[in-house]
Amino acid sequence: MKRREAFKMYLKPGFEKEYEKRHGEIWPELRKLLSDSGVSDYSIYWDKDTNILFAYQTVEGDSGSQDLGGTEIVQKWWAYMADIMETNPDNSPVSIPLQEVFHMD
């Protein structure tokens, strides 16, 4: 069964272009892991007034992108992104799930 997930993260000020650059060059093995895990239709939006990143994805299966932290490639990605985002002690991005309150097909 497919489900929609949304969450927010925090970008450090001044790193907007770098964040976009790194995601434009996302590692093929990370893209494959996400896809193989059932993550699709994945978009991240930036609110320039607050530096909040809003992420949306469709997930089929048990694991969304935020549930893959036990994999080596995701841990490497987190370490790679840690200098430009607010992170937890394990380098995972501070990520807050958002509750869906409306959807229209």
Side-chain angles (χ1 to χ4, degrees), residues 21 62 78 80-82 86-87 100:
K21 175 186 174 290
D62 297 330
W78 287 350
Y80 177 56
M81 298 299 289
E86 291 186 23
T87 61
E100 183 176 288

Short mmCIF file of all heavy atoms in Angstrom, two decimals, residues 21 62 78 80-82 86-87 100:
data_model
loop_
_atom_site.label_atom_id
_atom_site.label_comp_id
_atom_site.label_asym_id
_atom_site.label_seq_id
_atom_site.Cartn_x
_atom_site.Cartn_y
_atom_site.Cartn_z
N LYS A 21 23.16 21.97 -5.00
CA LYS A 21 24.23 21.33 -5.78
C LYS A 21 24.41 19.88 -5.37
O LYS A 21 24.47 18.99 -6.23
CB LYS A 21 25.54 22.10 -5.60
CG LYS A 21 26.74 21.48 -6.28
CD LYS A 21 28.01 22.25 -5.90
CE LYS A 21 29.26 21.60 -6.42
NZ LYS A 21 29.60 20.34 -5.75
N ASP A 62 7.60 -0.50 4.15
CA ASP A 62 7.72 -0.10 5.54
C ASP A 62 8.67 1.06 5.79
O ASP A 62 8.67 1.65 6.86
CB ASP A 62 8.20 -1.30 6.38
CG ASP A 62 7.20 -2.45 6.36
OD1 ASP A 62 5.99 -2.19 6.24
OD2 ASP A 62 7.65 -3.60 6.46
N TRP A 78 24.52 11.32 5.36
CA TRP A 78 24.29 12.20 6.51
C TRP A 78 25.57 12.92 6.90
O TRP A 78 25.55 14.13 7.16
CB TRP A 78 23.77 11.41 7.69
CG TRP A 78 22.35 10.96 7.58
CD1 TRP A 78 21.42 11.33 6.64
CD2 TRP A 78 21.68 10.04 8.46
NE1 TRP A 78 20.22 10.69 6.88
CE2 TRP A 78 20.36 9.89 7.99
CE3 TRP A 78 22.09 9.31 9.57
CZ2 TRP A 78 19.44 9.07 8.62
CZ3 TRP A 78 21.17 8.49 10.19
CH2 TRP A 78 19.87 8.38 9.73
N TYR A 80 28.08 13.60 4.99
CA TYR A 80 28.37 14.53 3.89
C TYR A 80 27.53 15.81 4.00
O TYR A 80 28.00 16.90 3.69
CB TYR A 80 28.08 13.81 2.57
CG TYR A 80 28.25 14.61 1.31
CD1 TYR A 80 29.44 15.25 1.00
CD2 TYR A 80 27.20 14.69 0.40
CE1 TYR A 80 29.58 15.96 -0.19
CE2 TYR A 80 27.33 15.39 -0.79
CZ TYR A 80 28.52 16.03 -1.07
OH TYR A 80 28.64 16.72 -2.25
N MET A 81 26.30 15.70 4.49
CA MET A 81 25.39 16.83 4.58
C MET A 81 25.44 17.56 5.92
O MET A 81 24.88 18.64 6.07
CB MET A 81 23.96 16.36 4.31
CG MET A 81 23.73 15.77 2.93
SD MET A 81 24.06 16.94 1.60
CE MET A 81 22.68 18.05 1.81
N ALA A 82 26.11 16.98 6.92
CA ALA A 82 26.06 17.50 8.29
C ALA A 82 26.57 18.92 8.43
O ALA A 82 26.13 19.65 9.32
CB ALA A 82 26.84 16.57 9.23
N GLU A 86 21.03 21.32 10.12
CA GLU A 86 20.93 21.03 11.55
C GLU A 86 20.80 19.52 11.69
O GLU A 86 19.97 18.90 11.02
CB GLU A 86 19.75 21.75 12.17
CG GLU A 86 19.94 23.25 12.23
CD GLU A 86 18.82 23.97 12.97
OE1 GLU A 86 18.13 23.34 13.80
OE2 GLU A 86 18.64 25.16 12.70
N THR A 87 21.67 18.93 12.55
CA THR A 87 21.70 17.48 12.66
C THR A 87 21.63 17.03 14.12
O THR A 87 21.90 17.80 15.05
CB THR A 87 22.99 16.92 12.04
OG1 THR A 87 24.11 17.45 12.73
CG2 THR A 87 23.08 17.23 10.56
N GLU A 100 -0.55 14.95 7.69
CA GLU A 100 -1.38 15.37 6.56
C GLU A 100 -2.77 15.77 7.07
O GLU A 100 -3.38 15.04 7.83
CB GLU A 100 -1.52 14.24 5.55
CG GLU A 100 -2.32 14.64 4.32
CD GLU A 100 -2.36 13.52 3.29
OE1 GLU A 100 -1.33 13.27 2.65
OE2 GLU A 100 -3.44 12.92 3.14
#
